[in-house]
């Protein structure tokens, strides 16, 4: 998608700090962190959100969750972390390419 920041990052047209990448998705540092560690897991496939997800997309999302679990120590998140998907306007989604926020590195406020 031409105007998508995350697609541009994936293609190397925009810089980012990439911590992990495979054939399905990448993990980058968020440029505006809300906690000591704030990463974003971004599927390679461009679609705006869960309402546009295919079954294949859901399988990739499952793989991402599995990978986050196995990478957590390496990412500095051994004490725990929070995963967030902002879906749509009411949640304040600003980038219309589905992504999962990975937030941690410190004690987070209870939801
Ligand atoms: P959301 O509000 O859920 O759509 O989240 C979008 C996130 O992308 C925000 O936390 C932004 O700080 C982050 N973001 C926007 N542009 C970039 C970028 N160029 N590199 C890394 N993170 C970005
Ligand atoms: Zn995109």
């Amino acid at each position: 998608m031409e105007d998508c920041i995350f697609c541009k990052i994936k293609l190397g047209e925009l810089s980012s700090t990439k911590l992990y990448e495979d054939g399905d998705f990448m993990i980058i540092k968020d440029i505006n962190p809300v906690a000591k560690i704030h990463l974003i897991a971004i599927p390679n496939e461009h679609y705006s959100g869960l309402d546009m997800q295919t079954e294949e997309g859901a399988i990739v999302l499952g793989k991402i969750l599995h990978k986050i679990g196995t990478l957590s120590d390496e990412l500095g998140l051994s004490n725990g972390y929070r995963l967030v998907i902002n879906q749509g306007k009411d949640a304040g989604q600003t980038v219309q390419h589905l992504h999962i926020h990975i937030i941690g590195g410190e004690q987070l406020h209870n939801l």
Side-chain angles (χ1 to χ4, degrees):
M1 279 292 173
E2 273 174 25
D3 290 331
C4 173
I5 290 170
F6 292 162
C7 283
K8 283 185 177 167
I9 288 174
K10 182 185 72 190
L11 295 169
E13 293 171 6
L14 262 182
S15 66
S16 71
T17 306
K18 224 174 260 182
L19 302 180
Y20 178 81
E21 192 173 24
D22 65 19
D24 293 316
F25 78 108
M26 62 183 173
I27 298 177
I28 65 168
K29 283 192 182 179
D30 196 294
I31 39 158
N32 189 18
V34 299
K36 279 189 185 152
I37 298 177
H38 185 173
L39 314 175
I40 324 174
I42 307 168
N44 288 345
E45 193 190 340
H46 177 99
Y47 57 99
S48 58
L50 291 171
D51 53 337
M52 300 303 288
Q53 193 175 45
T54 60
E55 274 189 38
E56 290 73 25
I59 290 167
V60 169
L61 214 56
K63 288 184 185 176
I64 294 174
L65 293 181
H66 174 254
K67 201 73 197 178
I68 289 171
T70 63
L71 286 174
S72 56
D73 284 355
E74 205 174 302
L75 297 172
L77 297 164
S78 46
N79 279 342
Y81 48 90
R82 181 172 293 154
L83 304 181
V84 173
I85 294 175
N86 287 322
Q87 167 68 37
K89 189 167 159 281
D90 280 359
Q93 182 178 2
T94 57
V95 179
Q96 309 308 315
H97 179 140
L98 181 97
H99 53 282
I100 305 172
H101 295 263
I102 307 167
I103 300 161
E106 62 182 302
Q107 185 65 54
L108 303 172
H109 296 297
N110 289 337
L111 288 176

